[in-house]
Every structure is written in structure tokens, then in C-alpha cells.
Amino acid sequence: MESMIPEWVVSQLVHTSEDGEWAVDGLSKGLLIVTVILCRSLILGLIGYILSWVWFFCPLRIFVPGSRRAKKTKLNGAKKKVMEVKKMKIEGGVKPTNGQSKVKVN
């Protein structure tokens, strides 16, 4: 096949492929970096998901104490009202109800 193609065409193609190799390599690396940056939350999420499954099946989990999260205490209606009254007393007034005006507490 090389005998059918003139020597000057073959040399030109070889020279062009060597010159363009660095550009193609650089562009492909740049594209890879941009893709990783744009998809980093997806990539980190997948890594976290895989690590959570690995930890779930890991026998060391039996010996390592888990972190206990602080539970939020929910205030029921009566406690909320008491807290509001205390707050209003500190501010110097009572919360108006049913269209009543503010009454100063001495």
C-alpha cells in the first residue's frame, strides 16, 4: 500500500500526526478536567454511596461506636406560649390577641 502513495504524502502525514499529537492530548486532558469539575457532586455522591455500602457490610462496624446525634426537643403548644410570654415580658409588653392592643406589664 505504501508503494501506491507518493513519498512526499507519507512524510507530510507522518509530520502532521506528530505535530498534532500534543494538541489532541492537551485538549482531551482539558475536556476530562472540565467534565470532572462539572460532575464532581455526582462523582462524590457515588463515592459516598459506595463507601456507605462497604461500611454497612464491614465487620469493624460492630466494634466502632456510632455517633449519636443530638435530638431536637420539640416544644408543644403550651411550652411555646410560655416562652412567648416570657419573651414579651422581657421586651416590656404582652402579645396582643384577638385584635387587642398591647398592654404594658410593670
Side-chain angles (χ1 to χ4, degrees):
M1 181 96 173
E2 289 184 17
S3 63
M4 300 174 94
I5 301 174
E7 184 64 34
W8 64 273
V9 174
V10 172
S11 66
Q12 189 66 28
L13 288 174
V14 169
H15 181 68
T16 305
S17 70
E18 289 171 355
D19 285 348
E21 186 178 355
W22 67 270
V24 172
D25 289 344
L27 288 173
S28 60
K29 286 179 185 175
L31 182 63
L32 178 67
I33 290 170
V34 168
T35 304
V36 167
I37 289 172
L38 291 177
C39 298
R40 68 179 175 252
S41 63
L42 176 67
I43 293 168
L44 292 175
L46 287 173
I47 291 171
Y49 181 74
I50 292 169
L51 288 177
S52 69
W53 275 100
V54 168
W55 181 247
F56 181 75
F57 289 108
C58 181
L60 289 176
R61 203 167 64 107
I62 297 169
F63 302 110
V64 177
S67 63
R68 296 185 183 217
R69 296 179 181 161
K71 293 182 180 178
K72 291 183 179 180
T73 56
K74 293 184 179 180
L75 298 176
N76 59 16
K79 287 185 180 180
K80 283 184 182 178
K81 200 167 212 174
V82 169
M83 296 294 283
E84 288 177 3
V85 169
K86 285 182 181 178
K87 182 179 175 185
M88 293 303 290
K89 283 184 180 178
I90 292 172
E91 292 176 359
V94 176
K95 184 178 178 182
T97 57
N98 298 333
Q100 299 173 355
S101 62
K102 273 190 175 179
V103 178
K104 294 281 185 178
V105 177
N106 294 329

